[in-house]
Amino acid sequence: MGRTIEIYDTTLRDGTQAENFNISVDDKIRITQALDRLGIDFIEGGWPGANPVSAEYFQKIQGMSLKHAKVAAFGSTRHFRNTADKDPNLLSLLDARTPVITIFGKSWDVHVRDALHIGLEDNLLIIEDSLAFLRPKVEHLFYDAEHFFDGFKDNPDYALATIGKAIDGGAETIILCDTNGGTLPHELPPIIDRVKQYLEGCSRKVRLGIHSHNDSESAVANSLLAVSLGIDQIQGTINGFGERCGNANLTSIIPAIVFKMGLACEVRKHIDRLYTTSRLVNELANLPNNRYQPYVGESAFAHKGGIHVSAVRRNPLTYEHIEPDKVGNIRRILISDQAGNANVLHKAKKWGLKLSASDPLLATITSELKELENQGYQYEAAEASFELLMRRVLGLQRNYFKFESFRVIIHKVDMERAPITEATIRLYVGGDEVHTASMGDGPVNALDCAMRKALTRFYPCLEEMVLTDYKVRVLTGEHGTEAKVRVLIESRDHVCSWSTVGVSVNILEASWQALVDSINYKLMKEDNRK
Amino acid sequence: MGRTIEIYDTTLRDGTQAENFNISVDDKIRITQALDRLGIDFIEGGWPGANPVSAEYFQKIQGMSLKHAKVAAFGSTRHFRNTADKDPNLLSLLDARTPVITIFGKSWDVHVRDALHIGLEDNLLIIEDSLAFLRPKVEHLFYDAEHFFDGFKDNPDYALATIGKAIDGGAETIILCDTNGGTLPHELPPIIDRVKQYLEGCSRKVRLGIHSHNDSESAVANSLLAVSLGIDQIQGTINGFGERCGNANLTSIIPAIVFKMGLACEVRKHIDRLYTTSRLVNELANLPNNRYQPYVGESAFAHKGGIHVSAVRRNPLTYEHIEPDKVGNIRRILISDQAGNANVLHKAKKWGLKLSASDPLLATITSELKELENQGYQYEAAEASFELLMRRVLGLQRNYFKFESFRVIIHKVDMERAPITEATIRLYVGGDEVHTASMGDGPVNALDCAMRKALTRFYPCLEEMVLTDYKVRVLTGEHGTEAKVRVLIESRDHVCSWSTVGVSVNILEASWQALVDSINYKLMKEDNRK
C-alpha cells in the first residue's frame, strides 16, 4: 500500500456555486453525514462570513458527532483595512468552531491589483498576518493559494512568495488552486517541481494539496497527475459540482487512487458507498443523474449488444476498466432481460418473498417492471412501491380499502393571498362507507389529510406515519405543463422510513398513487409484524 | 504557429454507441455537413459491415460535396477464416467508396485469445493482410490499435508487434486506442516514448494518433498530453458522446490546442462555430445540453459569487480561462443571493432600464430581491420574472388585466383512470369582465388553458406563445407535502424564449404566479416592440 492521500470535499461550499445547485441547511447536514460514512477526511461546510445559510449550518453541525470526518470553515484573508483581531470574516470563522479552518489568499499579482486594489507587499502581509492570528486558535489550518497556477505563469517569484508567507504564518497544508480551470496537464509537472524546490528552502515542512476546476475538462486528470507528482491532499466535490464547469470530481478521483494507483485513504474502506453517495447528492440538489458519469453513472458499465456483450460475459476485463460492484455500481447488459430477472430475484430474497428462477411469475414481474419503467416509474428511489408491485403479482397483497372517488377544489379569490384548498374522499373499508373532507396547504396536503381522516379510525397505526419528503420531477419538458411528472414520497414511522412513487400527466394523480402506496406499505408492515 | 494536428470525428460511429443516442440517416448527413463547416479533417460515418443504417448513410454521402472534410468508413480486420478479397466486412468498406478507411485490430493478447479465439501469430497475419489488401484501393488508410494501452501494459512486445504489422501492411497513421478508458495521465508518457522508439526501427514513417475513452474522466487530458508528446491526430466526438462514459470530447480538446497550445488545424478558422455545432448534435440526438460542459456549456462562463462578479466586470481574465465569444459562447452574470447591487445594475443596463448606482430605487430592488430569495424565489433561472420585478419597482410595468378569482376542480372517480380536471377563471380587462372555463390534463394545464381563453381575445399575440418547460422543486423536504414548492416555467414565441418563477406551499399557486409572469412578460415585450 502506497502513501496516504487526504480527501477534502467542498461540495457544500464550492459545489453550491454550481448554477441550479441550491440545498437547504438540513440537506447540507444529510450530505455531511453521508460524506462521513463514505470516509471523507475533511468536509468544507461553507463560508460563514459570506452567507447566513453557512452560519446556520455550522451552528447545527457543532452539536453532532462524526465518525471520522473533520468539518472545515472557509474564508478569505483579512481585509487590508482591518487588524486581524477586528476582521469580521476571520472572527466569523472562529465562531464556526470547526476543527479545520481553510483560508484563501491571492497568488496572482493581477488579482492583487485588479480585485484587492492593494500593493503586492500588502497582500503578502495580510496572508501571513491572517494565518498567524488563527494558528493558535484552531486544530488544523490550511491555505488555499487561489489562482496559483495562473499566478505562477504570470509571475512565478511572487506566486511562490505568497506560499512562503502562508508557511511563515503557520499553514500546515498549502493547496495549489487552479481557480479558473485553465491549466492543461502537461503544464503541471514543471510547476509542481518548482514549488517542491522552493519548499525545501522554507521555514517549516508543509504538505501540498491541489484544488482544480474543470473548465478545460482536465480537473480529474490534473488532480491525479498532481498525486503522481507527490501531492498529499486532493480537494474536489461529489459529481464534480462547482462554479462554472465544476470542480475536480471526487467520484472519479477516489476510485483511481484506490484501485489504480494503490494509494491509502480512509475512503478505501467504504468505497462501495460511492454510488449511493453520488445519487444522494443529486437527489437532494434535485438535479438529474448523469448517466454517462464515470464509475457511478448508469451507463458506466452498460454494454450494448454484439461483440462487447459476449466478450464481457467471457471476461469482463475485455471491456471494463474495473468491476462495477467495487464502487457500488452494477453491470448492465442492454437488450436482455437477464439483468432484470437477476435484480428481481435479488430483491425477492432481500424481502423474504418466495420466488425461484424457474417460477413463471418471475417473467410476469420483470415485464411489468419494464413496462412501468417505460412509463416513467423509477424504483431505485422507491423500493416500497416495487415491493408492493411484487406482492401484488405474487398474490400476497391485501386490499385495505376500496376507493370510490375524491374531489379536490382549489379556489383563489385574492391576487395577494394563496388559494383555499379543500379535498373530499369517499371509500369503503370492509362494509363501511367513509366520506371525509379536509382543508390543506395545497392539493396534495389536503388529499393526504382527508385520506388519514378516513382510514385512521380503522387503522390507528397510521397515526405513527409521517411524510418526511416529497419530490417532483418533470419527465419530459417537451410539452410544457402537459409533460408527465414523477412524484417520490418518503414516509417514516418510529421503526423505519420508506419511499413510494407515482407517475401521471396530472401531478395530483401521481401524488395520489405515491400516497396510496405509502399507506398500503405501512399497513402491510403492521400485518407482517403480527 | 506550431505543427498541424488532424481532428478525426467519430460522433457518427463511436458516438452513436452512447446509451440513448439514436439518430436517423438524415440527421447523420446534417451533422456531417455541420462538422465540415466547423473544419473537421476526417469524419467517421459508421461501420458499413455492421449495420444497414451506415450503409445507407455512405450511399447518400457519396453524392455530396464537402468543403474540407474527408469521410471515413470503419471496420475490423478480416475474419481469420476468409481471404481478404472474400471477406464481407472488407468488401463492404470498399462499397462505401470513401476517401478514408479505418481498420481496427487487436493489440491485446487477452482479446486475441478470449474474443477472436485465434493464435497470436494468426492475429498478426490478418492485420498485415487486411491492410495490404485495402492499401491500393483507398486514398487514406488508418489503423486503430484497439486496446493498445491495456495490451501494452500486459505484453508490450506483442502490442508493438501488431503496430509493426499494420505498418508493413501500409497504414499511413497508427491510432493508439484506450478502448476501456482505464489509462491514467501519468501512465501515458513512458508508453508513448516507447512506441516512438519502436517506430524508428520500422519499415516506413507513419503518423501517430490517439483515441481515448472517458471511463477514468481523463479522455480529454490524455488526448492533450498525447499531443504534447508529439502525436499528430486526435480522435473524439462532439460533446464526448460514446460507448459507456463516452469518447474524448472534441469541444474541449479543440479550443485547448488552438488557444492554449498554439497548434495549427483547419478548425482554427471556424472555431466560433463550436458552440452551435455542439447544440446541433444534442438537438438531433434529442439529448439535453450539459449546462456545465466546458467551453460550450450554458454555465461555462456564468458568474454567481459576488466577488467573482465584480472582479469579472473589471477584468474578465480574473475568473475566465478564455473569452467566451472565441468559441461562440457568451458570458452570463447570475442573479443570486450572493450577488449585490453590481448584478442589479448590470441587468438594468442589459435590459435598457435607466438605473444609476446613486438611485435610491437600487437599494429597494436589491432588498426586495434578497427578501424574495429568502422566501425561495430563484432568479438565476427566471430572468423574465426578475425584469418584471425591476420594472414594477421602477413604475414601468403596465397591468394588462385585473384578477378576480379562479377555481380548479380535480375529480377522480375510478382507481384505474386519471382524474377529470376543470378550471374556471374570472378577470377584468379594461372594463370588461371575462369568465372562462377549460378542462386540462392536470390542474396547471387546465388553469393555463382557461387563462389563454380569457386573454387571447384582447391580446391575440398570446397565441404565438407556448410553454416549453415546466419544473417543480420542493424547497424543504422536511415537512412532507406541506413543504414550499418552486415552479419554473419556460415559454417561447417565434422570437425568443423566457423563464419565470413562482413560490408557494400550494403548487397551483406557485404555478399560477409563474404563468402570470410569463404572460405579462410576453405582453410587455409586444408593447416595447411598438
Side-chain angles (χ1 to χ4, degrees):
Chain A
M1 179 86 53
R3 67 188 209 285
T4 298
I5 303 299
E6 294 174 347
I7 308 294
Y8 184 108
D9 178 281
T10 179
T11 306
L12 302 179
R13 202 273 306 169
D14 225 350
T16 61
Q17 293 290 317
E19 197 172 358
N20 290 2
F21 190 103
N22 299 286
I23 53 174
S24 67
V25 171
D26 294 321
D27 287 343
K28 285 181 92 172
I29 300 287
R30 281 177 70 182
I31 290 173
T32 305
Q33 292 165 320
L35 293 173
D36 182 44
R37 282 193 299 272
L38 180 61
I40 297 293
D41 300 297
F42 302 104
I43 300 171
E44 192 169 78
W47 185 346
N51 67 62
V53 181
S54 296
E56 190 187 338
Y57 165 84
F58 286 113
Q59 271 183 0
K60 287 197 175 178
I61 208 75
Q62 275 165 34
M64 302 173 48
S65 68
L66 300 174
K67 276 166 47 203
H68 168 81
K70 291 179 173 172
V71 173
F74 174 88
S76 71
T77 49
R78 71 167 169 86
H79 194 290
F80 185 60
R81 275 199 318 272
N82 307 329
T83 58
D85 61 343
K86 298 265 182 305
D87 187 72
N89 172 57
L90 295 183
L91 295 175
S92 65
L93 286 167
L94 295 172
D95 290 343
R97 292 211 189 71
T98 52
V100 185
I101 290 180
T102 302
I103 289 288
F104 78 92
K106 301 287 187 190
S107 328
W108 191 3
D109 51 11
V110 169
H111 263 263
V112 177
R113 288 195 217 89
D114 292 359
L116 295 187
H117 307 291
I118 60 176
L120 296 182
E121 285 304 317
D122 302 334
N123 180 50
L124 296 177
L125 175 69
I126 59 176
I127 292 170
E128 176 170 10
D129 195 36
S130 304
L131 290 162
F133 169 72
L134 295 170
R135 179 62 285 185
K137 305 177 176 62
V138 65
E139 185 184 341
H140 298 288
L141 183 61
F142 298 159
Y143 177 73
D144 277 3
E146 193 194 26
H147 287 294
F148 179 79
F149 293 94
D150 294 317
F152 184 94
K153 291 178 217 167
D154 204 32
N155 182 344
D157 294 338
Y158 186 73
L160 292 168
T162 60
I163 291 181
K165 288 299 176 185
I167 295 170
D168 297 342
E172 79 187 61
T173 303
I174 302 289
I175 296 92
L176 309 176
C177 303
D178 185 29
T179 308
N180 291 7
T183 303
L184 300 183
H186 70 275
E187 301 177 288
L188 234 63
I191 297 178
I192 289 178
D193 288 348
R194 180 76 185 80
V195 171
K196 283 157 81 180
Q197 275 173 36
Y198 177 83
L199 291 184
E200 282 159 18
C202 285
S203 56
R204 286 177 19 257
K205 287 265 146 294
V206 292
R207 292 166 70 86
L208 274 182
I210 185 154
H211 175 110
S212 314
H213 280 262
N214 205 35
D215 301 72
S216 304
E217 208 175 330
S218 299
V220 165
N222 286 347
S223 305
L224 295 175
L225 262 178
V227 167
S228 74
L229 295 165
I231 270 178
D232 302 305
Q233 181 184 106
I234 297 179
Q235 296 195 351
T237 64
I238 299 298
N239 303 332
F241 288 117
E243 183 93 19
R244 302 183 313 273
C245 308
N247 288 58
N249 180 4
L250 291 177
T251 67
S252 294
I253 289 169
I254 293 169
I257 65 172
V258 167
F259 298 119
K260 298 184 176 190
M261 300 173 85
L263 299 168
C265 62
E266 179 69 15
V267 185
R268 171 182 280 273
K269 304 175 192 161
H270 316 287
I271 193 162
D272 60 342
R273 293 214 171 104
L274 201 63
Y275 174 87
T276 50
T277 310
S278 163
R279 292 295 164 117
L280 177 74
V281 170
N282 288 336
E283 200 50 46
L284 294 182
N286 198 27
L287 292 168
N289 301 316
N290 169 8
R291 67 161 52 250
Y292 306 123
Q293 193 171 332
Y295 298 97
V296 296
E298 205 184 326
S299 299
F301 301 95
H303 303 283
K304 275 192 177 177
I307 306 174
H308 283 219
V309 173
S310 49
V312 164
R313 285 248 175 71
R314 237 178 272 105
N315 174 358
L317 285 181
T318 50
Y319 287 100
E320 285 175 358
H321 65 133
I322 71 162
E323 290 87 39
D325 52 350
K326 282 185 170 175
V327 291
N329 203 344
I330 53 162
R331 173 174 307 126
R332 288 166 55 240
I333 306 291
L334 308 177
I335 349 156
S336 115
D337 296 71
Q338 279 172 26
N341 285 343
N343 184 31
V344 171
L345 286 168
H346 174 80
K347 297 286 189 220
K349 188 146 170 275
K350 180 176 163 196
W351 296 326
L353 304 173
K354 281 205 182 51
L355 184 67
S356 75
S358 57
D359 191 326
L361 286 179
L362 175 57
T364 317
I365 294 169
T366 310
S367 61
E368 195 164 324
L369 192 63
K370 260 200 144 87
E371 168 54 24
L372 286 162
E373 280 175 342
N374 291 340
Q375 290 173 33
Y377 288 81
Q378 193 219 69
Y379 293 97
E380 283 163 333
E383 291 212 325
S385 287
F386 184 28
E387 182 172 351
L388 289 171
L389 181 155
M390 278 175 80
R391 289 178 172 274
R392 241 175 265 118
V393 176
L394 297 170
L396 300 170
Q397 186 55 26
R398 238 186 87 193
N399 290 327
Y400 295 97
F401 60 90
K402 181 173 169 305
F403 172 81
E404 268 303 304
S405 69
F406 74 64
R407 178 187 277 108
V408 178
I409 298 177
I410 304 119
H411 192 192
K412 184 176 170 78
V413 291
D414 177 346
M415 191 64 181
E416 300 311 312
R417 300 205 354 264
I420 295 151
T421 308
E422 180 199 61
T424 62
I425 187 156
R426 257 182 80 229
L427 46 79
Y428 286 92
V429 182
D432 308 342
E433 185 204 16
V434 199
H435 196 167
T436 54
S438 171
M439 309 302 287
D441 293 328
V444 181
N445 178 241
L447 198 54
D448 181 35
C449 296
M451 276 282 277
R452 287 160 180 277
K453 253 193 201 172
L455 292 172
T456 311
R457 214 174 83 220
F458 303 91
Y459 305 110
C461 69
L462 290 178
E463 272 170 5
E464 308 158 359
M465 167 182 157
V466 287
L467 297 190
T468 50
D469 197 5
Y470 174 78
K471 285 199 161 59
V472 185
R473 178 154 296 165
V474 177
L475 295 182
T476 59
E478 307 314 307
H479 330 88
T481 54
E482 289 164 20
K484 265 191 181 178
V485 292
R486 174 170 61 227
V487 168
L488 285 171
I489 286 179
E490 188 184 281
S491 311
R492 183 167 40 72
D493 60 17
H494 54 290
V495 184
C496 64
S497 75
W498 60 93
S499 296
T500 54
V501 62
V503 173
S504 169
V505 290
N506 185 323
I507 191 166
L508 203 58
E509 167 67 14
S511 307
W512 162 259
Q513 293 170 10
L515 274 175
V516 169
D517 269 8
S518 177
I519 287 167
N520 278 322
Y521 186 82
K522 167 65 177 170
L523 297 175
M524 178 273 287
K525 275 207 317 148
E526 288 302 306
D527 281 356
N528 296 351
R529 285 230 337 264
K530 288 166 194 158
Chain B
M1 182 83 56
R3 65 188 210 283
T4 297
I5 304 299
E6 294 174 346
I7 307 295
Y8 183 108
D9 180 281
T10 178
T11 307
L12 302 179
R13 203 272 305 169
D14 225 351
T16 60
Q17 289 293 99
E19 201 172 350
N20 292 0
F21 190 103
N22 303 296
I23 51 174
S24 67
V25 171
D26 293 332
D27 289 342
K28 287 181 92 172
I29 299 288
R30 281 181 67 185
I31 290 174
T32 305
Q33 292 164 320
L35 293 173
D36 181 44
R37 281 193 299 273
L38 180 61
I40 297 293
D41 300 296
F42 302 104
I43 301 171
E44 191 170 78
W47 185 345
N51 67 64
V53 180
S54 296
E56 189 187 340
Y57 164 85
F58 286 114
Q59 270 181 0
K60 286 198 174 176
I61 208 73
Q62 275 166 33
M64 302 172 46
S65 69
L66 299 174
K67 274 167 48 203
H68 168 82
K70 290 177 172 173
V71 172
F74 174 89
S76 71
T77 49
R78 71 167 168 87
H79 195 290
F80 185 61
R81 276 199 317 270
N82 307 331
T83 58
D85 61 343
K86 298 264 180 309
D87 186 72
N89 171 60
L90 294 184
L91 295 175
S92 66
L93 285 168
L94 294 174
D95 290 342
R97 293 212 188 71
T98 51
V100 186
I101 289 179
T102 301
I103 289 289
F104 79 93
K106 300 289 186 188
S107 327
W108 192 0
D109 52 11
V110 170
H111 264 263
V112 177
R113 288 194 217 90
D114 293 358
L116 295 186
H117 308 291
I118 60 175
L120 296 183
E121 283 305 316
D122 303 334
N123 180 51
L124 296 177
L125 176 70
I126 60 177
I127 292 171
E128 177 171 8
D129 195 35
S130 305
L131 289 161
F133 169 72
L134 294 170
R135 179 61 282 185
K137 304 179 176 59
V138 65
E139 184 184 340
H140 298 288
L141 182 61
F142 298 160
Y143 177 73
D144 276 3
E146 193 194 26
H147 288 293
F148 179 80
F149 293 94
D150 294 315
F152 185 95
K153 291 179 217 169
D154 203 32
N155 183 343
D157 294 339
Y158 185 73
L160 291 169
T162 60
I163 292 182
K165 289 300 176 184
I167 295 170
D168 297 343
E172 78 186 62
T173 302
I174 302 291
I175 295 92
L176 309 176
C177 302
D178 185 29
T179 308
N180 291 5
T183 302
L184 300 184
H186 70 274
E187 301 177 288
L188 233 63
I191 297 177
I192 289 178
D193 288 347
R194 181 76 186 78
V195 170
K196 281 156 81 181
Q197 275 174 35
Y198 177 83
L199 292 184
E200 281 160 18
C202 285
S203 57
R204 286 179 17 259
K205 288 266 148 290
V206 293
R207 293 166 70 86
L208 275 182
I210 185 157
H211 174 111
S212 313
H213 279 263
N214 204 35
D215 300 72
S216 304
E217 207 175 331
S218 300
V220 165
N222 286 347
S223 305
L224 295 175
L225 260 179
V227 168
S228 75
L229 295 165
I231 271 179
D232 302 307
Q233 180 184 107
I234 297 179
Q235 296 195 350
T237 63
I238 298 298
N239 304 331
F241 287 116
E243 184 90 20
R244 301 184 313 274
C245 307
N247 288 56
N249 180 3
L250 291 177
T251 67
S252 294
I253 288 170
I254 293 169
I257 64 172
V258 168
F259 298 121
K260 300 185 176 190
M261 301 173 83
L263 298 168
C265 62
E266 179 69 15
V267 185
R268 170 182 281 272
K269 304 175 192 162
H270 316 286
I271 193 162
D272 60 343
R273 291 210 171 107
L274 200 63
Y275 175 87
T276 49
T277 310
S278 162
R279 293 295 162 119
L280 176 73
V281 170
N282 287 336
E283 193 176 310
L284 295 182
N286 194 26
L287 292 168
N289 300 316
N290 169 8
R291 68 159 52 248
Y292 307 122
Q293 191 171 333
Y295 298 97
V296 296
E298 206 183 326
S299 297
F301 301 94
H303 303 282
K304 184 175 182 181
I307 293 177
H308 285 212
V309 171
S310 47
V312 163
R313 293 171 82 235
R314 237 178 270 108
N315 174 358
L317 284 181
T318 51
Y319 287 100
E320 285 175 356
H321 65 133
I322 71 162
E323 290 87 37
D325 51 351
K326 281 184 168 175
V327 291
N329 204 343
I330 53 160
R331 176 175 306 125
R332 288 167 56 241
I333 304 292
L334 304 179
I335 296 301
S336 90
D337 60 352
Q338 292 169 59
N341 293 347
N343 274 350
V344 174
L345 285 169
H346 177 87
K347 293 294 182 190
K349 188 150 170 265
K350 178 180 165 195
W351 296 327
L353 304 173
K354 279 204 181 52
L355 184 67
S356 75
S358 58
D359 192 326
L361 286 179
L362 175 58
T364 316
I365 294 168
T366 311
S367 63
E368 193 164 325
L369 187 64
K370 271 201 144 59
E371 168 51 24
L372 285 163
E373 284 181 334
N374 291 338
Q375 291 173 34
Y377 288 81
Q378 188 207 72
Y379 292 99
E380 47 187 58
E383 294 208 328
S385 286
F386 182 53
E387 181 172 351
L388 290 171
L389 181 156
M390 277 176 82
R391 290 178 172 274
R392 242 175 262 117
V393 175
L394 297 172
L396 299 171
Q397 186 54 26
R398 235 185 90 193
N399 290 327
Y400 295 97
F401 60 90
K402 181 174 170 303
F403 172 81
E404 266 306 301
S405 69
F406 72 65
R407 180 186 277 107
V408 178
I409 299 176
I410 304 119
H411 192 192
K412 184 176 171 76
V413 291
D414 178 343
M415 191 64 181
E416 301 311 311
R417 303 217 336 271
I420 294 150
T421 309
E422 180 200 63
T424 63
I425 188 157
R426 256 182 80 225
L427 45 79
Y428 287 91
V429 183
D432 308 344
E433 185 203 18
V434 199
H435 196 167
T436 54
S438 171
M439 308 303 285
D441 294 327
V444 181
N445 179 239
L447 198 54
D448 181 33
C449 297
M451 273 283 277
R452 288 160 180 276
K453 254 194 200 171
L455 291 173
T456 310
R457 215 176 83 217
F458 304 90
Y459 305 109
C461 69
L462 291 179
E463 272 170 5
E464 310 158 356
M465 167 182 156
V466 288
L467 296 190
T468 50
D469 197 6
Y470 174 79
K471 285 198 176 61
V472 184
R473 189 177 190 293
V474 178
L475 295 182
T476 62
E478 300 318 301
H479 327 93
T481 53
E482 288 164 22
K484 267 190 178 178
V485 292
R486 174 169 59 229
V487 168
L488 286 171
I489 286 180
E490 188 183 281
S491 312
R492 183 167 41 71
D493 60 17
H494 55 290
V495 183
C496 64
S497 75
W498 59 94
S499 294
T500 54
V501 62
V503 173
S504 168
V505 290
N506 187 323
I507 189 166
L508 203 58
E509 167 67 13
S511 307
W512 163 259
Q513 292 171 10
L515 274 175
V516 169
D517 269 8
S518 177
I519 286 166
N520 278 322
Y521 186 83
K522 167 66 177 170
L523 297 176
M524 179 273 288
K525 275 206 314 148
E526 288 302 305
D527 281 356
N528 296 351
R529 286 233 334 268
K530 288 164 195 158

